[in-house]
Amino acid sequence: MARYLLDPATEDEIQALARTAPPMTPDVAIRIARMLRWNERDTTGTDRAA
């Protein structure tokens, strides 16, 4: 699910579009999960403002 946006109508439109997408293959789902885990590790605990 997309993160909440400031405009609820935009959020609804994005979610409706996502529901029309074809199902992911297992290979694609695995690659996306890996990228999300990598991104989470990269952004947690790091202070980029310093």
Side-chain angles (χ1 to χ4, degrees):
M1 178 182 272
R3 291 183 185 211
Y4 178 76
L5 301 174
L6 296 177
D7 182 4
T10 303
E11 174 72 13
D12 292 341
E13 190 172 329
I14 290 170
Q15 294 303 323
L17 180 63
R19 283 189 294 274
T20 65
M24 282 187 258
T25 64
D27 182 51
V28 171
I30 290 168
R31 284 191 290 162
I32 290 173
R34 286 179 183 157
M35 287 189 289
L36 290 172
R37 282 193 303 268
W38 176 81
N39 185 54
E40 184 177 315
R41 281 194 312 264
D42 187 45
T43 58
T44 56
T46 56
D47 185 7
R48 294 178 187 243

